[in-house]
Amino acid sequence: MSDFISSGWALYVSGIVIASIAFCVLVLIGAAKRRPMADDNTTGHVWDESLQELNNPLPRWWMGLFWITIVFAALYLFLYPGLGSNEGSLKWTSRNQWQAEQAKAAETMKPVYAKFASMPVEALAADAQAMGIGERVFVNNCAGCHGSDGKGSKSFPNLTDKDWLGGDGSHDYIVKTIAEGRQGNMPPMAAAVGTPEDVKNVANYVLSLSGAPHNAVAAQLGKAKFGACAACHGADGKGQTAMGAPNLTDKVWLHGWGSEAMVSEMINKGKVNVMPQHATRLTPEQIRVLAAYVWSLSNKQGAKTALNAVQ
């Protein structure tokens, strides 16, 4: 990999750019000189018996445009990065440009977020301006995984159903999750469960906990082997929020519809699911308003009550 980031590549790119500009200059100089190819200034090509091709130079205005383009290219390469690793005299970078725009936007929005700073989550959920901002931040940063309506999809949690794997769904918990991210990890459990037949039996027992279609005989055999899973999911299969272990009795399957094949695969291979942290992407003020918007998705009644109180 180091071969692709060595200084030699920067020199290589710079050489190609400079050679290309020099070639264009030479072509223009050559084209500017009018050299008659014959006494009648024709190239010798004749079409349709009498239509001759003349060796006339390019119009001056056209040549001027080409020269302007070359001068612009040289000036651009002097001011901005373009010659390999050369930074340009202005030291411009896309990162600095983005940071400046972000700082300007933050300064513009500062008075707006200051208004929200002391408002409790219920009041934020009842504030149309705050929810409008929260919705736009959600669409730009969260909808790609959780969907524009927050209902999620396979492997991406539904944010509207109050089923929180790693916490209580409070505003503070949502703020922490958005800022720091979250990683869910179920290790492969096949070795702990036993034989492939045992895995199949445990899968059927897990399905029986939520009333999903299953083999009753296999489920009964798998009950004893479920002890390997109980440390996280609990002896009754209702999970443990503090550990992020899902409730297996509620028919809420994050990684697909409950079936023997799906549950067996989960037991055999385990699963790692990651929500990235957004603390470096969003400001604390944005995260607070975004968390209030996410909270409102699963607390419609609380948000409605707060709105009625405001009105």
Side-chain angles (χ1 to χ4, degrees):
M1 184 63 184
S2 60
D3 293 341
F4 294 95
I5 57 176
S6 66
S7 59
W9 284 105
L11 296 175
Y12 175 74
V13 171
S14 300
I16 290 178
V17 172
I18 293 173
S20 298
I21 294 176
F23 177 75
C24 291
V25 170
L26 292 175
V27 170
L28 289 175
I29 292 174
K33 296 180 179 179
R34 186 170 181 274
R35 298 190 182 91
M37 299 182 68
D39 294 338
D40 56 359
N41 194 35
T42 64
T43 63
H45 297 162
V46 180
W47 293 272
D48 200 19
E49 297 183 356
S50 60
L51 185 62
Q52 295 180 318
E53 179 183 2
L54 300 180
N55 184 37
N56 291 328
L58 292 173
R60 288 185 179 277
W61 66 269
W62 201 348
M63 292 286 289
L65 288 177
F66 281 126
W67 281 111
I68 290 173
T69 301
I70 290 175
V71 171
F72 174 83
L75 182 62
Y76 180 91
L77 293 173
F78 173 74
L79 296 174
Y80 295 96
L83 291 175
S85 59
N86 180 52
E87 296 180 341
S89 62
L90 296 181
K91 307 297 183 183
W92 179 92
T93 66
S94 58
R95 176 181 291 274
N96 291 340
Q97 178 83 20
W98 178 81
Q99 290 175 341
E101 291 176 358
Q102 289 293 100
K104 182 179 179 181
E107 192 64 28
T108 301
M109 292 296 293
K110 193 174 182 179
V112 178
Y113 285 117
K115 168 188 170 185
F116 303 143
S118 60
M119 296 172 63
V121 62
E122 294 82 4
L124 280 174
D127 189 287
Q129 185 182 27
M131 291 299 93
I133 293 172
E135 182 179 21
R136 287 191 289 275
V137 176
F138 181 88
V139 168
N140 289 333
N141 297 276
C142 314
C145 293
H146 295 284
S148 59
D149 57 0
K151 291 186 177 180
S153 59
K154 183 179 179 180
S155 296
F156 301 108
N158 181 353
L159 303 178
T160 70
D161 62 1
K162 287 184 175 290
D163 183 37
W164 297 91
L165 282 180
D168 56 3
S170 66
H171 183 247
D172 289 341
Y173 169 73
I174 298 172
V175 167
K176 178 180 174 65
T177 302
I178 294 173
E180 301 177 6
R182 186 174 179 278
Q183 178 167 308
N185 183 10
M186 173 177 166
M189 296 296 294
V193 169
T195 66
E197 190 65 23
D198 290 330
V199 169
K200 176 181 176 181
N201 293 338
V202 170
N204 277 279
Y205 176 70
V206 169
L207 292 172
S208 73
L209 294 175
S210 60
H214 64 280
N215 183 316
V217 175
Q220 189 61 34
L221 294 172
K223 183 176 182 179
K225 292 291 184 177
F226 183 75
C229 314
C232 293
H233 294 285
D236 57 2
K238 291 186 176 180
Q240 297 187 62
T241 301
M243 297 184 66
N247 181 353
L248 303 177
T249 70
D250 59 4
K251 292 189 177 181
V252 178
W253 297 95
L254 179 58
H255 302 292
W257 296 109
S259 66
E260 180 186 308
M262 186 276 285
V263 179
S264 295
E265 181 179 8
M266 193 70 68
I267 295 171
N268 285 319
K269 298 181 180 179
K271 187 73 176 181
V272 176
N273 221 34
V274 178
M275 173 177 165
Q277 59 86 16
H278 285 71
T280 57
R281 182 181 180 89
L282 302 173
T283 65
E285 295 79 12
Q286 286 177 311
I287 290 176
R288 186 170 186 276
V289 173
L290 171 59
Y293 174 76
V294 173
W295 178 88
S296 73
L297 295 177
S298 58
N299 289 274
K300 296 294 185 183
Q301 187 58 44
K304 184 178 180 181
T305 302
L307 180 59
N308 291 338
V310 171
Q311 293 175 339

